Amino acid sequence: MSLLFACITVLFWITGSAVGQSSYDCSEVADNFIPCVTYLVELESRPADRCCSGLQVLNQMAKINDKGPRNICQCIEDLAYTMNAPYVASRIQSLSRECHIHFSFPISIAMDCYR
């Protein structure tokens, strides 16, 4: 898992950010979202505490500007594509309940970032 994290970090560092002009970049989103991936691909039975605390950080980041939710969504979509991680739809739906959080950004199996 640490090798995977290192590869993702390097990839985001090299390719830049989908967020561009925002006050944060995709590496920050990845740092906060990666702890959730093992739950979303069914390698863990419940989300790690780091996952839930990372989602709280992402919720705060989403409130920075009106493009925040869309930018975070796009970063998560890019992360899933880069990792080739098949997120399980029921796990995405349960993430909010499991972490006791209401998302301020879109997240779904379809990852419709422009809704």
Side-chain angles (χ1 to χ4, degrees):
M1 186 69 174
S2 60
L3 177 61
L4 178 62
F5 179 74
C7 290
I8 297 299
T9 302
V10 169
L11 176 71
F12 279 113
W13 180 71
I14 291 171
T15 60
S17 151
V19 196
Q21 313 306 328
S22 181
S23 59
Y24 57 91
D25 61 36
C26 281
S27 64
E28 289 182 79
V29 174
D31 288 346
N32 287 291
F33 191 75
I34 282 179
C36 299
V37 172
T38 54
Y39 173 74
L40 294 175
V41 298
E42 295 189 311
L43 293 176
E44 293 181 6
S45 61
R46 62 181 307 272
D49 291 341
R50 280 189 42 193
C51 167
C52 295
S53 61
L55 292 174
Q56 290 175 344
V57 170
L58 292 177
N59 263 349
Q60 292 303 312
M61 289 170 62
K63 296 174 184 175
I64 290 173
N65 62 51
D66 61 337
K67 293 182 182 176
R70 182 180 305 153
N71 294 338
I72 290 170
C73 177
Q74 187 63 55
C75 290
I76 292 171
E77 182 179 296
D78 293 348
L79 181 64
Y81 178 79
T82 302
M83 294 176 67
N84 195 22
Y87 297 158
V88 176
S90 62
R91 290 294 180 101
I92 292 171
Q93 293 167 353
S94 69
L95 195 55
S96 177
R97 183 182 70 248
E98 291 286 334
C99 288
H100 309 286
I101 191 170
H102 175 75
F103 293 119
S104 299
F105 53 91
I107 179 171
S108 69
I109 198 70
M111 292 304 289
D112 181 8
C113 298
Y114 295 96
R115 67 177 173 130

